[in-house]
Amino acid sequence: NLIDRTALLFIEGYQKYISPRKGFVCAHRAAFGGPSCSQYFYETIANSGIFAAIRTLVSRSKSCGQARL
């Protein structure tokens, strides 16, 4: 699916070029272990598609926000 492949390319670009320059790690990963948020969404899109990833976005974002507290 073109939408899924495009989303994966954007995530790959973020992980390769932007994330390393931010100077901090994913709060969710630091607090709870497991994959970073970008890796989590990458894997969800790769396995289940963009629409499944969008459905998990709200709950993962809330969890990440709690990890920052």
Side-chain angles (χ1 to χ4, degrees):
N1 171 327
L2 180 61
I3 296 172
D4 293 349
R5 290 192 308 263
T6 302
L8 293 175
L9 285 173
F10 276 110
I11 293 171
E12 288 172 1
Y14 168 80
Q15 289 176 330
K16 186 172 181 178
Y17 298 107
I18 297 171
S19 184
R21 288 167 175 68
K22 291 188 320 182
F24 58 88
V25 298
C26 173
H28 191 277
R29 182 177 181 169
F32 304 117
S36 66
C37 289
S38 63
Q39 186 62 34
Y40 172 82
F41 288 113
Y42 186 93
E43 292 170 6
T44 302
I45 294 167
N47 294 324
S48 303
I50 188 76
F51 297 109
I54 290 169
R55 285 192 296 273
T56 66
L57 180 65
V58 172
S59 63
R60 180 67 179 222
S61 296
K62 285 181 184 178
S63 180
C64 189
Q66 290 171 349
R68 294 177 189 203
L69 300 176

